[in-house]
Amino acid sequence: MRLSLLALILISLFSEDLNAKNIHYITVSDVNVWEEIVLLCREKKVPLFVTYTNEAKIPQSVKDIQNNTKAVKFANKNYVSVFINDYSQLGETFKTLFQLSDDTYHMVINPEEELLLKQKKLDFEFFREGIRRFEQFETIMLSHYNRTLTKEEWLVYLDIKYNNFGYLGTISEANRFIPILEESDLGNPKYWPFVTKLCLELNNPVLKTLRKNTSLVEHSQAKFPWLEFYINTYNLNLSFAIDNKDTNRINRMKEELVPLYPDTAKREHQKLLVQQQYLAGLDKWESYKKLTFSHLKENNKPDDFYTEFEKLYYSYPFNKVSDLLEEILEAGIEEKSTYKLNYNMAELLIAKGDKNRAWQYANDAAKKATNAKEEARAAILQQFLFY
């Protein structure tokens, strides 16, 4: 598409059509055409409204907004609107650049190709917020540089950063943002993405507040995504501990973080899990084994053996844990022989190439079967080993 032709299209877009019923989209599939449009928008200092979709037809969200005359007029007056299919050359570029999944996204992008706003929902407020961010962008970046961001400006800054880079900020940025939050902010959904992805260091003010008042977690389950916050905090600090071989951090996690786990019934299990994951991360399997068997002996619950087997089997490379898996199942069968333990021992031994021993456990699994489904599965395993 020639530049002069694009200019004609943009001129038509900027003319105010009072009778317009639809958003004036330009369908673009070529990266070069996109760049030409961006250059023209840069000259005219207007943002781009982009709809990216994997649907073969106009998405329902766009059809719905067409019924809002005010929204359509506002979009046509203030934006250059671009429609992109995910299968196109430009679509592939957008998918990688802005971390898009196979879905429909609506975006506001400035002429410097910085993503200011991204969401799946499309309404009048989306268009207005996009213009606010476009007009405020330079001021917000300058305020961030001067360390004078207000709470509302922080929200915009962090959201733009996440849209463009896929992360919400550094620890130093978190430490600047968190202190200006108030307890009441935890009940406001617009703060949730930032608290659940930024307030993760063990020393941060949000965690300090929670440790002083642990009942906040139980009392606000419906008002704040505590589980997401906990998991993100847990994963970050576990990763730090493993990378730095920091046993002290692991102990602090057990004492300071685990008591905040939203599911009170599983808190004791979390204390064990954080130690196990730390030892596994450092490849200290002998220590992992001692810790796990100490737990199994102390609790003396037959079902725990299968729980520990399953946790280990699905979390770590088979070549590292195959012997320990066998020891856990063997100890469990000695404690109480069940279908589940014998069946999994047979499968484990097959994977290790020991079919002779696997045959005995497959037979024991058949004897311990408690329903038709278990009997059928054990029979299939026996048949496989026989032939």
Side-chain angles (χ1 to χ4, degrees):
M1 187 182 290
R2 297 191 310 276
L3 193 61
S4 58
L5 180 55
L6 281 171
L8 288 173
I9 292 173
L10 292 175
I11 289 169
S12 71
L13 289 175
F14 296 136
S15 62
E16 191 171 351
D17 181 358
L18 297 177
N19 297 313
K21 294 182 179 179
N22 299 316
I23 295 171
H24 295 320
Y25 279 112
I26 307 171
T27 300
V28 181
S29 57
D30 183 82
V31 173
N32 292 327
V33 175
W34 164 261
E35 292 299 339
E36 290 178 355
I37 293 175
V38 168
L39 284 173
L40 286 166
C41 288
R42 200 171 292 166
E43 289 174 17
K44 294 184 175 290
K45 297 182 180 178
V46 294
L48 296 106
F49 162 57
V50 176
T51 291
Y52 165 98
T53 186
N54 65 335
E55 298 182 37
K57 53 187 179 180
I58 298 295
Q60 188 60 47
S61 56
V62 174
K63 289 180 181 177
D64 291 341
I65 202 68
Q66 310 281 28
N67 296 322
N68 188 328
T69 307
K70 278 188 175 182
V72 170
K73 286 181 181 178
F74 187 89
N76 288 339
K77 182 179 179 180
N78 293 282
Y79 292 94
V80 172
S81 299
V82 176
F83 191 88
I84 302 172
N85 285 111
D86 70 333
Y87 56 78
S88 66
Q89 178 199 27
L90 182 58
E92 289 293 329
T93 301
F94 261 65
K95 188 172 187 177
T96 303
L97 190 61
F98 298 124
Q99 295 121 36
L100 307 176
S101 60
D102 294 332
D103 212 330
T104 295
Y105 291 91
H106 305 289
M107 296 171 275
V108 174
I109 298 175
N110 69 15
E112 303 305 318
E113 297 183 87
E114 292 160 317
L115 180 55
L116 306 183
L117 185 62
K118 177 178 77 175
Q119 62 184 51
K120 296 180 181 181
K121 181 182 176 182
L122 185 60
D123 54 18
F124 196 1
E125 183 53 32
F126 172 88
F127 292 119
R128 288 188 291 202
E129 178 62 19
I131 291 299
R132 280 195 291 269
R133 291 194 177 193
F134 176 66
E135 292 172 346
Q136 295 171 1
F137 183 72
E138 288 187 13
T139 303
I140 287 174
M141 292 299 117
L142 184 61
S143 296
H144 178 263
Y145 178 78
N146 292 326
R147 295 177 173 255
T148 57
L149 286 173
T150 65
K151 190 158 53 176
E152 291 301 314
E153 286 175 334
W154 263 112
L155 291 183
V156 175
Y157 168 80
L158 291 169
D159 192 47
I160 290 172
K161 190 157 190 174
Y162 182 73
N163 287 335
N164 285 279
F165 302 108
Y167 65 95
L168 279 174
T170 62
I171 295 298
S172 63
E173 286 176 330
N175 290 336
R176 286 164 56 195
F177 170 64
I178 296 164
I180 63 175
L181 289 177
E182 299 168 19
E183 189 177 306
S184 59
D185 293 329
L186 298 181
N188 190 333
K190 71 180 180 180
Y191 291 97
W192 293 356
F194 311 102
V195 176
T196 57
K197 292 182 174 70
L198 266 179
C199 305
L200 309 180
E201 260 285 353
L202 287 176
N203 290 325
N204 86 67
V206 173
L207 278 172
K208 285 181 179 178
T209 300
L210 291 175
R211 284 195 289 271
K212 290 176 185 175
N213 185 7
T214 53
S215 62
L216 267 176
V217 176
E218 283 82 7
H219 294 161
S220 59
Q221 293 278 20
K223 296 179 181 178
F224 184 77
W226 286 118
L227 183 58
E228 181 187 355
F229 171 70
Y230 176 86
I231 290 171
N232 290 341
T233 306
Y234 181 96
N235 289 339
L236 177 79
N237 285 282
L238 177 65
S239 177
F240 280 173
I242 292 171
D243 289 345
N244 298 291
K245 298 182 180 179
D246 188 349
T247 305
N248 181 54
R249 185 182 289 264
I250 289 298
N251 291 332
R252 285 189 59 203
M253 285 177 68
K254 286 170 58 183
E255 294 166 10
E256 301 173 22
L257 184 61
V258 169
L260 302 178
Y261 189 47
D263 190 337
T264 53
K266 294 181 179 178
R267 285 179 184 171
E268 283 304 312
H269 178 259
Q270 285 295 110
K271 287 183 181 179
L272 171 68
L273 183 63
V274 68
Q275 286 183 284
Q276 287 175 322
Q277 290 179 325
Y278 176 65
L279 294 171
L282 297 177
D283 278 335
K284 293 186 174 183
W285 294 108
E286 193 59 38
S287 297
Y288 184 107
K289 173 183 170 180
K290 288 179 182 177
L291 174 68
T292 302
F293 274 94
S294 173
H295 161 75
L296 291 169
K297 184 178 180 181
E298 186 179 328
N299 284 271
N300 198 26
K301 296 177 183 176
D303 286 347
D304 283 357
F305 288 91
Y306 181 74
T307 299
E308 291 303 320
F309 163 80
E310 199 173 37
K311 184 198 303 179
L312 196 61
Y313 181 82
Y314 287 109
S315 300
Y316 306 106
F318 183 75
N319 64 317
K320 288 188 176 183
V321 300
S322 59
D323 290 342
L324 182 51
L325 287 168
E326 186 177 339
E327 288 184 64
I328 290 173
L329 288 175
E330 196 169 28
I333 290 168
E334 189 176 325
E335 185 71 28
K336 184 181 179 182
S337 183
T338 65
Y339 161 81
K340 193 156 50 174
L341 292 174
N342 281 288
Y343 184 90
N344 279 280
M345 177 67 99
E347 285 199 321
L348 176 67
L349 291 171
I350 290 170
K352 294 179 74 171
D354 191 347
K355 288 188 176 181
N356 289 331
R357 288 174 62 214
W359 170 257
Q360 181 58 54
Y361 285 104
N363 287 341
D364 288 344
K367 292 173 186 175
K368 297 293 181 181
T370 58
N371 55 54
K373 186 177 179 180
E374 290 180 351
E375 288 172 0
R377 289 188 68 194
I380 292 170
L381 195 59
Q382 288 173 310
Q383 231 175 0
F384 169 77
L385 288 165
F386 183 77
Y387 291 106

